Amino acid sequence: MRAHIARTVAVLIPIALFTVGCGSEKAGGAGSTTPKDRAREVAAAWDGSRAAEVWRAGYYPLADVIQLPEHAFRNDGDKSAYAAENYVLDAELPPVSPKKGKVEWESGSSLSLPLMDARKAYDSVARGGNDGPHLTVTAVKLGKTTLVTSRGPATVPAWLFTLDGYDTPLKRVALEPSVLPGSPIEPLENTTDDLMELQQLVAVGRDGRTVTVLAGHGACDDGAGVRVRETAGSVVLSASILGATDGDCTAQLLFQKVTVKLKRELGDRVLLDAFTGAPVAQRRIPT
């Protein structure tokens, strides 16, 4: 499967625990394996498993749960404030809200989950605290938004934060994801150039035919690549480093957005990381 790679990324994190381009070793875990064999093993472990049943019954966002206002951002200061999560609250947070919120899928199915209160939602967005540029919240109310989930597009409750200078609000989905099922296969132990852990799921296209992830690579290679293995029940992504060479290299981790195209829409198939053997991580890394 050809990966369409966006090479204009991004995020440079100078950490000393990541070194590439200095030779490779076979991946460990429950025995050594090639990347192709590993993807096959992960798919076989998940397809038809109890973990896959739990996944298909739950609510798992496949897009960022924080959605920007239209035409964001007005200037570099606002962009920096968002990246630093710097906000000033110039509004009252609603003190009471419903205890439950409902996920409503386009298929007609629904699921009721505990609703995140306004304070928790605001705190999850405004985690900064430095003296740099900030965004000012002037009003807060409960509303709805749509996003792609593990069961397709859905309408969900969201807290709407009006920002000074913007005509539409910043939206924060007001539901936590369902608890992830335990993986039926163990993660590998050792990273290699041929098989890396994916850093983060960025987004799934609304039509379900494209998947964008953050993949790591070093400073002395040609970037990150992602291979795809599709089955009836799962999509396994295998991240690797392209064009790595032997020799000394600075210990840096670069994050690169990689978009892959699927043969058919993702649907309710489980999106898996070949290295970890688990669903692709949802944690947020600034992109």
Side-chain angles (χ1 to χ4, degrees), residues 18-28 33-36 188 190-198 215-227 238-247 249-250 252-253 275:
F18 181 88
T19 305
V20 297
C22 302
S24 300
E25 58 183 75
K26 290 186 177 181
T33 185
T34 68
K36 185 178 293 186
L188 295 176
N190 300 317
T191 293
T192 72
D193 293 345
D194 291 330
L195 192 54
M196 304 278 294
E197 179 178 355
L198 286 166
H217 67 98
C220 306
D221 53 56
D222 294 331
V226 177
R227 296 182 296 274
S238 302
S240 63
I241 295 174
L242 304 176
T245 58
D246 291 338
C249 184
T250 55
Q252 297 171 340
L253 175 59
F275 186 89

Side-chain angles (χ1 to χ4, degrees), residues 156-285:
V156 297
W159 287 104
L160 311 182
F161 297 99
T162 300
L163 301 181
D164 184 33
Y166 292 87
D167 295 330
T168 59
L170 178 144
K171 302 175 182 179
R172 200 313 180 180
V173 173
L175 302 175
E176 296 284 9
S178 301
V179 176
L180 283 170
S183 176
I185 186 170
E186 292 293 322
L188 295 176
E189 295 177 354
N190 300 317
T191 293
T192 72
D193 293 345
D194 291 330
L195 192 54
M196 304 278 294
E197 179 178 355
L198 286 166
Q199 298 300 318
Q200 176 186 316
L201 173 65
V202 176
V204 174
R206 187 170 177 82
D207 64 359
R209 298 295 297 271
T210 60
V211 176
T212 301
V213 294
L214 278 187
H217 67 98
C220 306
D221 53 56
D222 294 331
V226 177
R227 296 182 296 274
V228 183
R229 178 179 178 82
E230 296 187 53
T231 70
S234 62
V235 173
V236 184
L237 304 181
S238 302
S240 63
I241 295 174
L242 304 176
T245 58
D246 291 338
D248 294 334
C249 184
T250 55
Q252 297 171 340
L253 175 59
L254 296 170
F255 292 147
Q256 178 178 332
K257 286 185 182 180
V258 180
T259 298
V260 296
K261 291 186 176 181
L262 305 182
K263 295 178 181 177
R264 61 184 180 86
E265 66 179 293
L266 179 64
D268 64 358
R269 293 184 293 173
V270 190
L271 186 64
L272 299 165
D273 179 350
F275 186 89
T276 65
V280 179
Q282 300 288 314
R283 63 182 179 272
R284 295 186 68 238
I285 298 173

Side-chain angles (χ1 to χ4, degrees), residues 10-58:
V11 183
L12 172 63
I13 298 184
I15 54 177
L17 52 83
F18 181 88
T19 305
V20 297
C22 302
S24 300
E25 58 183 75
K26 290 186 177 181
S32 299
T33 185
T34 68
K36 185 178 293 186
D37 287 342
R38 173 63 178 178
R40 186 182 300 113
E41 291 168 1
V42 170
W46 274 87
D47 290 353
S49 68
R50 173 58 182 162
E53 292 178 9
V54 172
W55 172 269
R56 293 190 179 91

Side-chain angles (χ1 to χ4, degrees), residues 99-111:
K99 293 186 180 298
K100 293 282 189 177
K102 183 178 289 187
V103 187
E104 298 175 297
W105 282 279
E106 290 184 351
S107 64
S109 59
S110 63
L111 181 65

